[in-house]
Amino acid sequence: MKPFYKGRYKSIRVSKSKARVVCPIFEQSKYPYQGIGIKLGDPFAVTYKFYATKNFAIALDFGSAASGLYNKYHRENFPLYTETDTLGSSQNISYLGHKVKTEWVGEGKLLYHHDASKLLKGLQWYLGAGWQWRKLNIDYEFFLEISPNENEIGLFNVDRFTMGPTGVLGLEYAYFELPISAFLEVEVFKDVLEDPQWIRFQGGVGLRYVF
């Protein structure tokens, strides 16, 4: 016996080109949008973006720094946390190692977007500026020479907070079958509190769900 419904209903097939229109995003008449997702890189972060208009957006990121990229910097900072003037003439303190316990990063950025669909449909480039906050908790291990016959290995903890301005340049692509956007960005951060001479390049890639 043939199914009673055969011939009454037909499955609907949607081509890939049409499927892309099923969940359109960033249409001029539908602003504002919001996006939330994950950023991989430095920092590894949860990222939120408010697309106020076609050209302007605000991005907020919070996560953890890629501590492995800062090993040399943390080691070079060891002398800043030791008071060598309190040591005797025959005493000496030297670096043995460090362990980053936490290194949180939070930032907010105001972005200007420009359409680049002539190069690739769904592509935008953007630039902007913002402010970054950094919170570091780190343990330093040291070797202390007290006298020719007496040595000591010790540990001390540093809790450091700093901040400064950031600049960003990025690309964002949003021509998928789902309402998501992919982005790639490069940032530069300048410390103005703890180490005013320090300038650091950062960056990452990520995805956001747009709604």
Side-chain angles (χ1 to χ4, degrees), residues 134-149:
R134 304 178 67 92
K135 182 74 165 56
L136 170 69
N137 188 273
I138 184 171
D139 284 337
Y140 281 101
E141 188 177 17
F142 62 90
F143 180 78
L144 177 62
E145 297 179 58
I146 301 174
S147 68
N149 299 318

Side-chain angles (χ1 to χ4, degrees), residues 54-176:
K54 180 180 179 180
N55 296 114
F56 292 98
I58 296 172
L60 302 173
D61 299 338
F62 180 79
S64 179
S67 297
L69 300 178
Y70 296 85
N71 280 333
K72 181 180 178 183
Y73 180 71
H74 292 325
R75 178 172 182 167
E76 291 175 346
N77 280 345
F78 174 79
L80 301 177
Y81 309 121
T82 56
E83 298 179 358
T84 55
D85 55 347
T86 62
L87 300 176
S89 58
S90 62
Q91 296 179 334
N92 183 51
I93 187 171
S94 56
Y95 167 91
L96 282 182
H98 71 266
K99 180 180 180 181
V100 175
K101 301 179 75 174
T102 58
E103 192 166 6
W104 299 112
V105 178
E107 62 181 359
K109 296 166 289 191
L110 177 63
L111 307 173
Y112 171 77
H113 281 247
H114 188 78
D115 181 65
S117 57
K118 290 184 178 180
L119 297 176
L120 181 64
K121 189 173 181 63
L123 184 68
Q124 302 178 67
W125 63 264
Y126 60 89
L127 55 84
W131 199 261
Q132 185 175 115
W133 298 265
R134 304 178 67 92
K135 182 74 165 56
L136 170 69
N137 188 273
I138 184 171
D139 284 337
Y140 281 101
E141 188 177 17
F142 62 90
F143 180 78
L144 177 62
E145 297 179 58
I146 301 174
S147 68
N149 299 318
E150 185 180 3
N151 300 317
E152 181 180 296
I153 293 178
L155 188 76
F156 65 87
N157 176 266
V158 173
D159 200 17
R160 166 175 161 159
F161 174 79
T162 194
M163 58 182 155
T166 61
V168 58
L169 176 65
L171 294 172
E172 186 162 2
Y173 178 76
Y175 191 59
F176 298 101

Side-chain angles (χ1 to χ4, degrees), residues 21-43:
V21 185
V22 173
C23 299
I25 57 175
F26 301 138
E27 291 186 358
Q28 181 65 36
S29 61
K30 294 186 178 182
Y31 280 90
Y33 290 91
Q34 298 182 76
I36 188 166
I38 294 292
K39 177 180 176 180
L40 304 177
D42 184 28

